Every structure is written in structure tokens, then in C-alpha cells.
Amino acid sequence: MHHFRFRKNQLYCENVKVEDIAKKFGTPIYIYSLKTLIEHYRKIKNAFHSINPLICFSVKANSNLSVLKVLAKRGAGMDVVSGGELFKALRVGVNPKRIVYAGVGKSEREIASAIKAGILFFNAESFPELALIDRVARRLHERIDVCLRVNPDVDPHTHKFIATGKATNKFGLDMYTAEEIFLRSRIFSHLNLCGIHIHIGSQITQAQPFVKAIKKALTLINRLRAKKISLKYLNIGGGLGIVYRNEKPQTAEDFARAVLPLLKKAKLRIILEPGRFIAGNSGILVSKVTYVKTTPNKNFAIVDAGMNDLIRPSLYDAYHEILPLELNSHGHRTTKYDIVGPICESGDFLAKNRSMPVLEAGDLLAVMGAGAYGFTMSSNYNSRPRAPEVLVHGNTCSLVRKRETYQDLVKNEIISKGL
Ligand SMILES: *Cc1c(COP(=O)(O)O)cnc(C)c1O
């Protein structure tokens, strides 16, 4: 559920008419509903309250500072995958003891800044990475907690670009290598290897792949226990799917019902890393039709948001519902359109062959489900300034990121002398 609804044929975000926001700040524009963010966070929190897990919002899903602050104020920790995300989490006052750090390519500098900040633990993904964290910790005279990310080799039944827990993916360590490393952990004098991390992919709609992966993690935990190696943490990652179209994803409660019995058996502190589940349906991208172009083959609605604003359709063939901000404004007829952006790429589209009410230049459209992996994946391709972001709370709406300017496009460039 989310708080983007029609009232008298007009789309509202909470109590604010979306058209008014678009008129005030221009298009394209990202709009987030604060109430939806909080409700989704609470759904997970409530479903798992019996084990009181640490819920770390996955910052890469939506790293707007105001969004992070909304969640941090309600007790969320953060799952970060770069020095930049760590910086942003600290910037909004997240307690470092609620920050966990994952990613296959952590640099020495990133590792040092995370240790200095005092994060809860790293999720490490390879032997050479462990060696580097150990070296940096020694240099800083610290001992740091580390979970090993294991790759449980399960198929999450999702798009191949967002599957991360199969043996052929670059993520994590296979079970046997992980066990070997735990057994030989004394070679890392400044690491405390104290947990297991699994994150098998994203937009997973069924509980089964999670259950399979957690069972494999439990097998490893038990093998280690038998060898007198006791752990503190089991981090089950994120990946909960949401409704973009006609998916019937498990609810937070279904998910909890399926995995809680297993998690209780682990008798460890549980970490969850939801991203999309919290932010996905909390945001929309609003765009304006610039031209309607009819060709012998197709109708194109050319809009002012492109793949630089929202790359998911181009990158993953992802489906986003697209709604007019005003229903029935030109009658009830529908036509099929390719809804495409202004970028000079054939891969620049938001929807293909989509049945829409008849569109005219100037019409405003809402691309639904754009709150996760929307703005965070945006770019300046074709030298297009990035869109602004607005956060709606009840009757009020606040600009939480300004639209970029042409000056912003060149602010880090240096025209070489003597050209
Ligand atoms: C991306 C990511 C997540 C969040 O995934 P969602 O599908 O958005 O819930 C969680 N943990 C790790 C390690 C990730 O890389």
C-alpha cells in the first residue's frame, strides 16, 4: 500500500495534489511520501518484533538525506556499500553502531574511514578483502567485527541482473571456503569473524529462496558450532519484492512467518537489510509529455524524463506503471504508446507498447514505484541536470534536493590551459 491516490480524478500524494507540486517545481521531479516510507519500515519492524532485529535500510535504494533521516529517527540502521553512503548515513546522525558495510570492492580508504567511524561490522566478500581489513585495523590499532558474506547458491527467481546469491555471481564466498576461513580466523589478528551474511538478490516475491538460503546458513552455523566457533550475528540481507505490476509478493508478515522459526533456531542477533521494500512504492517520478509523435508503426509519447532519470526499464526491462495525473481529461479512449525520453539512445524508454489514455503534449504522467533505485541510479548523461526531489508529509511538501543547474554540470571541470 502507498499514499498516492486519486481523488476526484486527480492524483494526490498524501494530501497534496501532485499536479501542484509539478507546477511549482517543474518536471521531471521525484516525489516521496513520508507516511509510506514510515509505514513500510514499521511493517517489517512489527513482523519481526519477537526477535527485535536490527533493521538496516539499504542506502543504495534511496540515499536522499531527508529520506535517511526519516528512517534513522524511527530507529533504522543503515546498510552501506561505499564511503559515500557511509558519509551520508553519518551526516544524518545515524549511530555508527547501527551501520553495516557490504560490497565486493571496498577500497583501503573506505575501510579506514568505516573503522574510524566505529561501524558495527563489515560484511566481507573475499579472502584478499579480509586481509586488507585486517591490515588497516592493525594500522589503526583497532579490532573490528566482520561477517562473512556467503553465497548460498540458490536461485532467487528474479531478473538475472539482480540475482546475487547464485554460484556464478561475483558476491560472497562459497560455503566451504567460508568455513575454512572461520577455522583459520586466527591468521587475522585484528578481525573478529563473528557472523554470516547472505543477500541473494532483489525483487524476490516468494519466501522459498530466502528459506533455502537461511537453511544453508544454519547448516554452516551448526558446523562451526560443532567446532567450537560461536558467532554473534546472522545478517539475512534484503531483497523483499514489491508490487510494480501484478506481482503477488509475500507481505512482511508472510516473510516473517516463513523465516522466523529458522531465525529463532540460530540464536544470534538478526540483521535485515531491506531497501526496495521500504522505498520502492514510496516514490514516483513525474514527467511531462513534450511531443506526441505518430509514425506508420507506432505512437511515441516523448516525455521530459529519460533513462538518465530512471534507468530501470532500460537496464532491467523493468515494468513501471504509468498514470496520468488527471484521469479522463481527454475522454475515455485509449491508445498504445512507447513512452520514451529525450536521450539519444534507442534504449531510452520508460514503457513500451503501453495502453494509455490518449495523450497530448503538456500532459503530466506519474511513473509509479520509482522510490527505490530511481534517483540513486540517475546520471547526467546527455548533460541533463538531475531532477529535484520533494518529500510530502500530510498537507506539506518540501524540496529535499534542488534541481541541478547547468553550472552544476561543469562545476568540477577544468578547461586545460593551452588548448
Ligand atoms: C542492495 C542490497 C540490499 C537491498 O536490497 P533490496 O532488494 O533493495 O531490499 C541489501 N543488502 C545488500 C548487501 C545489498 O547489496
Side-chain angles (χ1 to χ4, degrees), residues 199-291:
H199 171 70
I200 56 173
S202 199
Q203 185 54 15
I204 303 168
T205 54
Q206 303 296 319
Q208 213 45 39
F210 290 108
V211 168
K212 269 192 199 160
I214 293 170
K215 280 187 176 158
K216 289 199 173 177
L218 281 179
T219 309
L220 178 57
I221 290 166
N222 289 332
R223 288 173 66 93
L224 293 171
R225 269 195 187 130
K227 292 177 177 165
K228 303 274 179 283
I229 294 173
S230 62
L231 306 176
K232 285 199 274 191
Y233 304 110
L234 171 57
N235 178 353
I236 62 167
L240 281 179
I242 63 169
V243 180
Y244 285 103
R245 188 178 197 173
N246 48 15
E247 301 89 342
K248 298 263 179 305
Q250 59 195 327
T251 63
E253 271 168 21
D254 296 335
F255 176 56
R257 208 172 303 121
V259 302
L260 269 177
L262 297 170
L263 298 180
K264 283 178 179 162
K265 270 191 212 151
K267 296 198 172 60
L268 298 174
R269 174 108 163 100
I270 302 295
I271 320 291
L272 277 75
E273 302 175 329
R276 189 189 310 273
F277 183 87
I278 291 175
N281 284 325
S282 305
I284 62 173
L285 170 64
V286 175
S287 182
K288 185 155 75 183
V289 178
T290 311
Y291 302 106

XYZ file of all heavy atoms in Angstrom, residues 199-291:
723
model
N 22.789 -12.332 1.103
C 21.867 -11.414 0.394
C 21.762 -11.986 -1.009
O 22.686 -11.886 -1.798
C 22.406 -9.983 0.381
C 21.605 -9.075 -0.519
N 20.315 -8.691 -0.202
C 21.883 -8.518 -1.713
C 19.845 -7.931 -1.182
N 20.778 -7.808 -2.106
N 20.632 -12.618 -1.303
C 20.582 -13.464 -2.500
C 20.039 -12.774 -3.745
O 20.040 -13.353 -4.820
C 19.771 -14.762 -2.235
C 18.362 -14.436 -1.728
C 20.507 -15.653 -1.244
C 17.452 -15.659 -1.608
N 19.589 -11.530 -3.584
C 19.092 -10.835 -4.765
C 18.016 -9.853 -4.381
O 17.791 -9.592 -3.202
N 17.366 -9.305 -5.405
C 16.394 -8.243 -5.159
C 15.088 -8.545 -5.881
O 15.062 -9.342 -6.818
C 16.974 -6.919 -5.650
O 16.306 -5.838 -5.059
N 14.018 -7.880 -5.431
C 12.680 -8.078 -6.011
C 12.317 -9.570 -6.008
O 11.871 -10.138 -7.003
C 12.623 -7.453 -7.427
C 11.258 -7.471 -8.114
C 10.134 -6.836 -7.293
O 10.354 -6.136 -6.332
N 8.897 -7.086 -7.668
N 12.513 -10.196 -4.846
C 12.173 -11.608 -4.660
C 10.768 -11.649 -4.070
O 10.508 -11.046 -3.028
C 13.184 -12.301 -3.719
C 14.599 -12.140 -4.292
C 12.819 -13.762 -3.519
C 15.694 -12.518 -3.332
N 9.861 -12.325 -4.780
C 8.452 -12.229 -4.383
C 7.990 -13.395 -3.511
O 6.928 -13.327 -2.917
C 7.553 -12.136 -5.633
O 7.873 -13.245 -6.484
C 7.779 -10.850 -6.388
N 8.780 -14.473 -3.462
C 8.387 -15.656 -2.697
C 9.326 -15.874 -1.517
O 10.489 -15.478 -1.574
C 8.466 -16.911 -3.592
C 7.636 -16.832 -4.842
C 6.153 -16.735 -4.526
O 5.666 -17.415 -3.636
N 5.443 -15.857 -5.227
N 8.830 -16.564 -0.499
C 9.668 -16.819 0.687
C 10.665 -17.953 0.458
O 11.709 -18.012 1.104
C 8.789 -17.145 1.889
N 10.341 -18.833 -0.506
C 11.113 -20.072 -0.643
C 12.629 -19.874 -0.817
O 13.410 -20.522 -0.123
C 10.526 -20.919 -1.785
C 10.644 -22.413 -1.560
C 10.261 -22.826 -0.133
O 9.333 -22.311 0.448
N 11.014 -23.730 0.452
N 13.058 -18.985 -1.720
C 14.511 -18.804 -1.863
C 15.178 -18.321 -0.572
O 16.293 -18.756 -0.245
C 14.638 -17.737 -2.963
C 13.343 -17.775 -3.696
C 12.298 -18.192 -2.712
N 14.476 -17.461 0.182
C 15.028 -16.999 1.465
C 15.164 -18.170 2.435
O 16.171 -18.317 3.129
C 14.114 -15.946 2.104
C 14.082 -14.626 1.393
C 12.963 -14.237 0.680
C 15.167 -13.765 1.456
C 12.922 -13.008 0.035
C 15.132 -12.533 0.815
C 14.007 -12.153 0.100
N 14.104 -19.002 2.472
C 14.115 -20.144 3.390
C 15.292 -21.062 3.055
O 16.054 -21.480 3.930
C 12.769 -20.906 3.320
C 12.850 -22.253 4.017
C 11.661 -20.050 3.923
N 15.450 -21.329 1.763
C 16.555 -22.193 1.330
C 17.899 -21.618 1.754
O 18.773 -22.323 2.245
C 16.560 -22.309 -0.206
C 15.750 -23.462 -0.738
C 16.081 -23.645 -2.218
C 15.002 -24.457 -2.901
N 15.002 -24.270 -4.352
N 18.059 -20.317 1.517
C 19.350 -19.678 1.812
C 19.615 -19.681 3.310
O 20.742 -19.957 3.755
C 19.360 -18.255 1.265
N 18.580 -19.397 4.097
C 18.784 -19.347 5.554
C 19.098 -20.745 6.075
O 19.942 -20.913 6.965
C 17.555 -18.726 6.254
C 17.434 -17.245 5.856
C 17.673 -18.848 7.772
C 16.138 -16.584 6.290
N 18.448 -21.762 5.487
C 18.751 -23.140 5.919
C 20.220 -23.470 5.668
O 20.877 -24.106 6.484
C 17.855 -24.141 5.188
C 16.474 -24.222 5.806
C 15.650 -25.335 5.178
C 14.306 -25.450 5.897
N 13.294 -26.107 5.034
N 20.718 -23.007 4.514
C 22.133 -23.272 4.229
C 23.028 -22.540 5.220
O 24.035 -23.072 5.682
C 22.466 -22.864 2.794
C 21.834 -23.801 1.770
C 22.518 -23.692 0.417
C 21.979 -24.741 -0.526
N 22.559 -24.645 -1.876
N 22.637 -21.304 5.558
C 23.424 -20.550 6.542
C 23.413 -21.280 7.884
O 24.437 -21.362 8.565
C 22.872 -19.134 6.680
N 22.238 -21.828 8.252
C 22.141 -22.544 9.531
C 23.041 -23.773 9.550
O 23.663 -24.088 10.573
C 20.694 -22.979 9.788
C 19.735 -21.902 10.306
C 18.341 -22.487 10.482
C 20.229 -21.300 11.618
N 23.102 -24.451 8.410
C 23.988 -25.614 8.322
C 25.417 -25.194 8.638
O 26.117 -25.849 9.423
C 23.945 -26.211 6.899
O 22.585 -26.408 6.556
C 24.706 -27.510 6.813
N 25.830 -24.093 8.055
C 27.190 -23.604 8.289
C 27.370 -23.221 9.759
O 28.378 -23.568 10.391
C 27.485 -22.418 7.360
C 28.851 -21.752 7.513
C 29.990 -22.757 7.334
C 29.015 -20.606 6.502
N 26.366 -22.511 10.302
C 26.454 -22.088 11.710
C 26.611 -23.310 12.618
O 27.448 -23.317 13.528
C 25.195 -21.266 12.091
C 25.212 -19.909 11.373
C 25.113 -21.062 13.607
C 23.893 -19.162 11.408
N 25.839 -24.343 12.316
C 25.917 -25.553 13.152
C 27.244 -26.278 13.000
O 27.799 -26.786 13.975
C 24.753 -26.498 12.842
C 23.443 -25.916 13.353
O 23.440 -25.143 14.324
N 22.347 -26.233 12.695
N 27.756 -26.327 11.791
C 29.077 -26.953 11.586
C 30.145 -26.197 12.367
O 31.038 -26.802 12.948
C 29.437 -26.956 10.093
C 28.626 -27.939 9.269
C 28.921 -27.757 7.796
N 30.290 -28.118 7.476
C 30.651 -29.325 7.059
N 29.737 -30.250 6.866
N 31.904 -29.593 6.808
N 30.020 -24.865 12.374
C 31.012 -24.066 13.097
C 30.863 -24.278 14.597
O 31.854 -24.408 15.326
C 30.856 -22.586 12.740
C 31.212 -22.232 11.287
C 30.830 -20.798 10.960
C 32.706 -22.438 11.041
N 29.590 -24.327 15.058
C 29.354 -24.560 16.499
C 29.995 -25.874 16.942
O 30.609 -25.943 18.002
C 27.852 -24.616 16.772
C 27.330 -23.257 17.099
C 25.948 -23.261 17.720
N 25.550 -21.863 17.798
C 24.400 -21.376 17.363
N 23.480 -22.172 16.864
N 24.155 -20.077 17.442
N 29.845 -26.889 16.087
C 30.411 -28.201 16.427
C 31.926 -28.099 16.567
O 32.550 -28.907 17.246
C 30.041 -29.212 15.357
N 32.499 -27.089 15.913
C 33.951 -26.913 16.008
C 34.306 -25.795 16.979
O 35.371 -25.189 16.878
C 34.521 -26.642 14.616
C 34.388 -27.888 13.747
C 34.862 -27.697 12.338
C 34.733 -29.037 11.620
N 34.819 -28.939 10.182
N 33.360 -25.490 17.873
C 33.595 -24.511 18.957
C 33.814 -23.088 18.445
O 34.539 -22.303 19.050
C 34.805 -24.924 19.821
C 34.696 -26.300 20.453
C 33.942 -26.213 21.786
C 33.791 -27.555 22.454
N 32.722 -28.391 21.823
N 33.231 -22.793 17.284
C 33.301 -21.413 16.801
C 31.919 -20.814 16.972
O 30.964 -21.278 16.353
C 33.734 -21.362 15.328
C 35.167 -21.878 15.226
C 33.634 -19.941 14.771
C 35.645 -22.030 13.814
N 31.822 -19.829 17.862
C 30.483 -19.263 18.070
C 30.424 -17.873 17.457
O 31.399 -17.123 17.437
C 30.128 -19.247 19.546
O 31.032 -18.422 20.223
N 29.254 -17.561 16.941
C 29.053 -16.312 16.212
C 28.117 -15.395 16.986
O 27.438 -15.832 17.920
C 28.446 -16.617 14.839
C 29.208 -17.623 13.969
C 28.434 -17.908 12.685
C 30.597 -17.108 13.633
N 28.080 -14.110 16.546
C 27.152 -13.151 17.164
C 25.982 -12.808 16.240
O 24.888 -12.546 16.686
C 27.889 -11.825 17.466
C 28.825 -11.861 18.644
C 29.141 -10.441 19.142
C 30.292 -9.818 18.375
N 30.816 -8.566 18.954
N 26.266 -12.749 14.931
C 25.278 -12.178 14.009
C 24.902 -13.119 12.869
O 25.748 -13.830 12.330
C 25.831 -10.914 13.333
C 26.299 -9.848 14.288
C 27.652 -9.562 14.413
C 25.381 -9.125 15.048
C 28.097 -8.564 15.274
C 25.812 -8.135 15.918
C 27.174 -7.858 16.027
O 27.603 -6.877 16.887
N 23.619 -13.043 12.507
C 23.177 -13.612 11.227
C 22.467 -12.488 10.478
O 21.431 -11.988 10.920
C 22.233 -14.809 11.431
C 21.563 -15.331 10.149
C 22.587 -15.734 9.094
C 20.644 -16.515 10.455
N 23.074 -12.083 9.365
C 22.542 -10.975 8.566
C 21.883 -11.576 7.332
O 22.556 -12.160 6.490
C 23.722 -10.070 8.189
C 23.312 -8.905 7.313
O 22.176 -8.829 6.863
N 24.238 -8.003 7.070
N 20.554 -11.454 7.240
C 19.857 -12.132 6.144
C 19.617 -11.219 4.928
O 18.892 -11.588 4.007
C 18.534 -12.794 6.593
C 17.532 -11.754 7.106
C 18.801 -13.853 7.651
C 16.112 -12.320 7.249
N 20.246 -10.029 4.937
C 20.202 -9.182 3.744
C 18.824 -8.589 3.485
O 17.968 -8.524 4.379
N 18.630 -8.148 2.241
C 17.344 -7.555 1.846
C 16.753 -8.382 0.731
O 16.914 -9.603 0.706
N 16.074 -7.723 -0.198
C 15.593 -8.426 -1.381
C 14.095 -8.614 -1.476
O 13.611 -9.140 -2.478
N 13.354 -8.203 -0.456
C 11.891 -8.384 -0.493
C 11.281 -7.660 -1.686
O 11.527 -6.476 -1.896
C 11.265 -7.811 0.774
C 11.346 -8.659 2.036
C 10.695 -7.912 3.193
C 10.646 -9.986 1.807
N 10.454 -8.371 -2.424
C 9.852 -7.796 -3.622
C 8.629 -6.938 -3.314
O 8.028 -7.048 -2.243
N 8.289 -6.090 -4.265
C 7.122 -5.204 -4.121
C 6.248 -5.329 -5.369
O 6.616 -5.994 -6.339
C 7.553 -3.725 -3.932
C 8.310 -3.205 -5.165
C 8.410 -3.585 -2.679
C 8.519 -1.699 -5.155
N 5.101 -4.651 -5.348
C 4.205 -4.682 -6.496
C 4.589 -3.562 -7.469
O 4.553 -2.386 -7.118
C 2.728 -4.474 -6.072
C 1.820 -4.500 -7.300
C 2.303 -5.523 -5.068
N 5.010 -3.937 -8.665
C 5.178 -2.962 -9.740
C 4.007 -3.079 -10.712
O 3.583 -2.122 -11.317
C 6.480 -3.216 -10.506
C 7.719 -2.782 -9.764
C 8.540 -3.711 -9.143
C 8.070 -1.439 -9.681
C 9.686 -3.324 -8.470
C 9.215 -1.039 -9.008
C 10.018 -1.983 -8.406
O 11.148 -1.584 -7.731
N 3.515 -4.305 -10.888
C 2.501 -4.557 -11.898
C 1.420 -5.460 -11.315
O 0.537 -5.003 -10.628
C 3.180 -5.229 -13.090
C 2.307 -5.393 -14.280
C 3.120 -6.014 -15.401
N 2.473 -5.854 -16.668
C 3.028 -6.180 -17.816
N 4.258 -6.668 -17.830
N 2.381 -6.014 -18.942
N 1.560 -6.770 -11.522
C 0.554 -7.697 -10.999
C 1.214 -8.779 -10.148
O 0.678 -9.853 -9.984
C -0.255 -8.307 -12.152
C 0.689 -8.800 -13.241
O 1.893 -8.929 -13.013
N 0.162 -9.076 -14.415
N 2.421 -8.452 -9.636
C 3.085 -9.420 -8.758
C 2.223 -9.614 -7.512
O 1.487 -8.727 -7.105
C 4.464 -8.905 -8.309
C 5.452 -8.599 -9.409
C 5.337 -7.160 -9.898
O 4.308 -6.500 -9.646
O 6.292 -6.704 -10.541
N 2.360 -10.784 -6.927
C 1.690 -11.026 -5.633
C 2.779 -11.327 -4.618
O 2.967 -12.466 -4.201
C 0.741 -12.228 -5.722
C -0.393 -12.074 -6.718
C -1.675 -11.620 -6.031
C -2.827 -11.419 -6.990
N -2.540 -10.487 -8.098
N 3.554 -10.324 -4.256
C 4.693 -10.609 -3.379
C 4.215 -10.968 -1.981
O 3.141 -10.557 -1.551
C 5.461 -9.293 -3.366
C 4.452 -8.251 -3.652
C 3.415 -8.882 -4.519
N 5.032 -11.754 -1.310
C 4.779 -12.026 0.095
C 4.717 -10.701 0.840
O 5.409 -9.750 0.497
C 5.942 -12.855 0.631
C 7.272 -12.103 0.470
C 8.468 -12.991 0.647
O 8.435 -13.915 1.417
N 9.525 -12.681 -0.080
N 3.883 -10.660 1.881
C 3.886 -9.481 2.750
C 5.031 -9.643 3.742
O 5.634 -10.720 3.850
C 2.571 -9.384 3.525
O 2.486 -10.546 4.365
C 1.369 -9.352 2.586
N 5.303 -8.573 4.475
C 6.332 -8.662 5.518
C 5.953 -9.762 6.504
O 6.810 -10.506 6.992
C 6.483 -7.320 6.224
N 4.641 -9.878 6.772
C 4.196 -10.906 7.725
C 4.375 -12.323 7.176
O 4.801 -13.215 7.911
C 2.744 -10.679 8.117
C 2.660 -9.771 9.314
C 1.262 -9.265 9.578
O 0.301 -9.901 9.115
O 1.169 -8.228 10.245
N 4.041 -12.518 5.886
C 4.266 -13.835 5.273
C 5.748 -14.206 5.381
O 6.103 -15.330 5.723
C 3.932 -13.825 3.765
C 2.465 -13.551 3.496
O 1.642 -13.829 4.383
O 2.157 -13.049 2.385
N 6.565 -13.223 5.047
C 8.014 -13.435 5.062
C 8.470 -13.817 6.472
O 9.181 -14.806 6.663
C 8.696 -12.150 4.584
C 10.194 -12.171 4.630
C 10.915 -13.147 3.972
C 10.890 -11.185 5.327
C 12.302 -13.159 4.007
C 12.278 -11.186 5.364
C 12.977 -12.173 4.706
N 7.998 -13.061 7.450
C 8.389 -13.327 8.837
C 7.926 -14.723 9.255
O 8.672 -15.476 9.883
C 7.811 -12.261 9.767
N 6.685 -15.072 8.880
C 6.158 -16.376 9.276
C 7.034 -17.503 8.708
O 7.277 -18.506 9.367
C 4.722 -16.521 8.768
C 3.880 -17.445 9.625
C 2.397 -17.412 9.223
N 1.814 -16.093 9.282
C 1.259 -15.470 8.235
N 1.211 -16.031 7.050
N 0.746 -14.260 8.378
N 7.518 -17.309 7.492
C 8.325 -18.351 6.857
C 9.724 -18.461 7.459
O 10.264 -19.556 7.579
C 8.422 -18.088 5.352
N 10.303 -17.331 7.823
C 11.721 -17.394 8.236
C 11.953 -17.319 9.745
O 13.009 -17.739 10.228
C 12.590 -16.317 7.523
C 12.495 -16.480 6.022
C 12.221 -14.903 7.941
N 10.962 -16.814 10.508
C 11.197 -16.644 11.951
C 11.575 -17.945 12.673
O 12.504 -17.930 13.497
C 9.978 -16.004 12.624
C 9.999 -14.471 12.706
C 8.702 -13.952 13.317
C 11.195 -13.967 13.500
N 10.881 -19.065 12.372
C 11.263 -20.297 13.080
C 12.732 -20.646 12.863
O 13.414 -21.093 13.792
C 10.357 -21.366 12.457
C 9.214 -20.609 11.866
C 9.749 -19.271 11.466
N 13.221 -20.394 11.642
C 14.632 -20.680 11.351
C 15.539 -19.705 12.090
O 16.569 -20.088 12.656
C 14.887 -20.574 9.842
C 14.140 -21.552 8.954
C 14.292 -21.179 7.492
C 14.672 -22.962 9.194
N 15.151 -18.437 12.071
C 15.994 -17.413 12.692
C 16.087 -17.641 14.198
O 17.145 -17.419 14.805
C 15.447 -16.016 12.395
C 15.411 -15.638 10.912
C 14.848 -14.237 10.717
C 16.807 -15.725 10.291
N 14.972 -18.086 14.783
C 14.999 -18.331 16.235
C 15.970 -19.461 16.571
O 16.643 -19.418 17.594
C 13.591 -18.643 16.743
C 12.754 -17.366 16.846
C 11.335 -17.608 17.298
C 10.595 -16.273 17.384
N 9.136 -16.418 17.394
N 16.038 -20.445 15.654
C 16.966 -21.559 15.879
C 18.423 -21.086 15.899
O 19.264 -21.692 16.549
C 16.818 -22.590 14.756
C 15.797 -23.656 15.044
C 15.911 -24.770 14.008
C 14.538 -25.369 13.769
N 14.387 -25.915 12.421
N 18.698 -20.038 15.139
C 20.092 -19.585 15.039
C 20.601 -19.029 16.361
O 21.793 -19.075 16.644
C 20.229 -18.543 13.932
N 19.697 -18.473 17.160
C 20.064 -17.865 18.459
C 21.188 -16.831 18.290
O 22.152 -16.801 19.068
C 20.484 -18.940 19.470
C 19.364 -19.906 19.824
C 19.667 -20.650 21.118
C 18.493 -21.467 21.587
N 18.070 -22.502 20.592
N 21.056 -16.015 17.270
C 22.038 -14.952 17.024
C 21.279 -13.641 16.866
O 20.067 -13.643 16.654
C 22.811 -15.241 15.730
C 23.643 -16.529 15.692
C 24.212 -16.742 14.300
C 24.775 -16.463 16.720
N 22.011 -12.536 16.966
C 21.393 -11.239 16.687
C 21.132 -11.179 15.180
O 22.034 -11.401 14.369
C 22.345 -10.127 17.107
C 21.890 -8.736 16.748
C 21.463 -7.995 18.006
N 21.387 -6.547 17.809
C 20.238 -5.901 17.589
N 19.096 -6.544 17.477
N 20.241 -4.574 17.490
N 19.874 -10.880 14.803
C 19.499 -10.909 13.389
C 19.548 -9.494 12.805
O 19.080 -8.535 13.423
C 18.081 -11.492 13.211
C 17.991 -12.905 13.806
C 17.665 -11.476 11.736
C 18.850 -13.957 13.126
N 20.108 -9.396 11.599
C 20.148 -8.129 10.870
C 19.324 -8.293 9.597
O 19.431 -9.318 8.912
C 21.595 -7.756 10.430
C 22.635 -8.068 11.499
C 21.680 -6.312 9.938
C 22.601 -7.251 12.728
N 18.495 -7.300 9.269
C 17.769 -7.269 7.994
C 18.216 -6.032 7.222
O 18.499 -4.996 7.829
C 16.261 -7.178 8.226
C 15.492 -8.461 8.517
C 15.741 -8.927 9.929
C 14.009 -8.236 8.324
N 18.261 -6.141 5.891
C 18.716 -5.010 5.071
C 17.721 -4.671 3.960
O 18.064 -4.731 2.786
C 20.068 -5.344 4.432
C 21.161 -5.687 5.420
C 22.450 -6.137 4.751
O 22.393 -6.749 3.655
O 23.524 -5.881 5.317
N 16.489 -4.319 4.294
C 15.519 -4.010 3.242
C 15.812 -2.658 2.591
O 16.191 -1.702 3.270
C 14.185 -3.961 3.999
C 14.562 -3.533 5.383
C 15.937 -4.127 5.649
N 15.658 -2.597 1.295
C 15.806 -1.332 0.581
C 14.531 -1.053 -0.193
O 13.699 -0.233 0.178
N 14.362 -1.800 -1.277
C 13.210 -1.624 -2.153
C 11.874 -1.703 -1.393
O 10.970 -0.932 -1.654
C 13.246 -2.707 -3.235
C 12.233 -2.537 -4.338
C 12.207 -3.778 -5.246
N 13.515 -4.186 -5.706
C 14.114 -3.718 -6.792
N 13.509 -2.838 -7.551
N 15.315 -4.148 -7.137
N 11.778 -2.648 -0.441
C 10.518 -2.842 0.269
C 10.080 -1.555 0.969
O 8.894 -1.239 1.034
C 10.652 -3.981 1.290
C 9.364 -4.289 2.011
C 8.450 -5.180 1.466
C 9.050 -3.666 3.210
C 7.246 -5.452 2.109
C 7.857 -3.930 3.869
C 6.948 -4.818 3.307
N 11.050 -0.819 1.496
C 10.716 0.406 2.233
C 10.504 1.580 1.277
O 9.548 2.340 1.411
C 11.824 0.733 3.263
C 11.803 -0.324 4.382
C 11.644 2.141 3.840
C 12.918 -0.187 5.396
N 11.387 1.711 0.291
C 11.370 2.944 -0.506
C 10.638 2.812 -1.840
O 10.157 3.825 -2.373
C 12.812 3.400 -0.762
N 10.530 1.608 -2.386
C 10.060 1.456 -3.770
C 8.744 2.141 -4.068
O 8.651 2.981 -4.972
N 7.711 1.770 -3.313
C 6.404 2.362 -3.591
C 6.161 3.659 -2.832
O 5.048 4.181 -2.831
C 5.298 1.338 -3.304
C 5.227 0.310 -4.424
O 5.442 0.643 -5.583
N 4.962 -0.940 -4.080
N 7.219 4.194 -2.224
C 7.108 5.471 -1.519
C 7.421 6.649 -2.427
O 7.384 7.794 -1.963
C 8.083 5.514 -0.343
O 7.878 4.424 0.511
N 7.738 6.372 -3.688
C 8.125 7.481 -4.554
C 7.606 7.332 -5.972
O 7.373 6.214 -6.443
N 7.400 8.475 -6.623
C 7.031 8.473 -8.043
C 7.946 9.459 -8.776
O 8.571 10.322 -8.156
C 5.550 8.870 -8.279
C 5.277 10.305 -7.789
C 4.611 7.889 -7.583
C 3.874 10.823 -8.134
N 7.998 9.292 -10.078
C 8.703 10.247 -10.931
C 7.639 10.898 -11.817
O 6.889 10.192 -12.496
C 9.739 9.517 -11.791
C 10.408 10.325 -12.905
C 11.241 11.482 -12.343
C 11.319 9.408 -13.751
N 7.546 12.204 -11.765
C 6.546 12.896 -12.582
C 7.230 13.535 -13.779
O 8.281 14.168 -13.651
C 5.780 13.955 -11.752
C 4.831 14.749 -12.637
C 5.010 13.275 -10.626
N 6.619 13.325 -14.930
C 7.215 13.774 -16.174
C 6.131 14.397 -17.059
O 4.952 14.072 -16.918
C 7.842 12.562 -16.871
O 8.465 12.940 -18.065
N 6.552 15.262 -17.962
C 5.584 15.933 -18.837
C 5.768 15.455 -20.275
O 6.901 15.266 -20.727
C 5.793 17.445 -18.756
C 4.752 18.233 -19.531
C 4.575 19.635 -19.009
C 5.725 20.525 -19.417
N 5.592 21.878 -18.842
N 4.662 15.269 -20.978
C 4.737 14.899 -22.391
C 5.190 16.131 -23.182
O 4.568 17.193 -23.114
C 3.363 14.413 -22.917
C 3.444 14.079 -24.405
C 2.875 13.203 -22.115
N 6.304 15.975 -23.887
C 6.809 17.088 -24.704
C 6.191 17.051 -26.098
O 5.767 18.079 -26.624
C 8.352 16.987 -24.821
O 8.892 16.788 -23.520
C 8.944 18.251 -25.400
N 6.180 15.879 -26.696
C 5.583 15.701 -28.026
C 4.862 14.369 -28.088
O 5.281 13.409 -27.449
C 6.653 15.649 -29.120
C 7.541 16.850 -29.204
C 8.858 16.771 -28.747
C 7.081 18.049 -29.744
C 9.695 17.873 -28.820
C 7.911 19.159 -29.814
C 9.219 19.061 -29.350
O 10.038 20.145 -29.419
